[in-house]
Amino acid sequence: MRAPDRASARKNLDKRLSVLENRDALARPPRGWIRAVREALGMTTGQVAERLGIAQPSAIGLEKAEASKAITIATLERAAHALDCTLVYAFVPRKPLEAIVQERAREVARERLRTISHSMTLEAQRVGEDDERTQLERIARKLIEGPGSALWDK
């Protein structure tokens, strides 16, 4: 994907994910969503099991599997349907994707400049802070505009 396309994709995804900013509201209940919704609806595990077409002990097993994070997305989807819910699956970045890319580009640029700066200092050719800042931004911009994978190399 070209840099302008990636920038556009980040912007669009950041916009779509902005509705999920209140991560605490979306946090999985300690005993899981299946149990939380089932109890809020006043259903028994037997009733959920019947809706899922499984035995009651298996329904209890599903709740335990979700609570221990050992459940598949497909099973969560089936359980959500049985509880008349929709499963929403998303990665919610801790900060906007654009900020993550900008920070990473500056981090990589700083590392590259550190190597160059060290060599120049040894040769008594140290550059000023303003020039260094300009170089940092130039390298970061090139990294962002170049192949995206270059940002994530060690």
Side-chain angles (χ1 to χ4, degrees):
M1 187 180 289
R2 293 181 8 246
D5 296 337
R6 285 194 311 272
S8 179
R10 281 193 303 273
K11 183 179 178 180
N12 290 335
L13 199 48
D14 278 339
K15 186 177 179 180
R16 286 180 60 198
L17 292 170
S18 68
V19 299
L20 304 174
E21 285 176 356
N22 184 2
R23 288 165 194 76
D24 293 338
L26 300 172
R28 183 178 52 84
R31 297 187 300 178
W33 285 108
I34 298 170
R35 185 168 180 172
V37 171
R38 175 184 62 74
E39 287 178 346
L41 291 173
M43 276 188 201
T44 65
T45 54
Q47 291 166 327
V48 170
E50 187 176 321
R51 288 169 160 249
L52 285 166
I54 60 176
Q56 190 261 350
S58 296
I60 293 171
L62 289 181
E63 290 183 359
K64 288 180 180 177
E66 182 193 4
S68 67
K69 301 178 185 176
I71 195 165
T72 66
I73 293 171
T75 301
L76 280 173
E77 236 170 7
R78 284 183 46 235
H81 181 74
L83 294 166
D84 199 24
C85 294
T86 300
L87 176 67
V88 177
Y89 174 84
F91 282 19
V92 182
R94 292 181 187 95
K95 52 188 148 190
L97 296 171
E98 188 60 36
I100 293 170
V101 167
Q102 293 282 341
E103 285 175 19
R104 178 63 182 167
R106 285 190 182 94
E107 181 182 314
V108 171
R110 256 187 235 95
E111 187 56 40
R112 288 184 183 179
L113 276 178
R114 194 176 356 262
T115 304
I116 295 167
S117 179
H118 178 69
S119 296
M120 291 183 76
T121 300
L122 290 174
E123 297 172 9
Q125 296 177 1
R126 179 127 174 93
V127 295
E129 282 185 33
D130 288 342
D131 287 337
E132 202 167 294
R133 233 186 328 275
T134 300
Q135 285 288 66
L136 177 84
E137 291 305 317
R138 185 184 63 75
I139 293 169
R141 191 172 43 258
K142 273 185 138 178
L143 284 163
I144 291 169
E145 292 170 357
S149 60
L151 272 178
W152 307 104
D153 290 340
K154 286 225 170 196

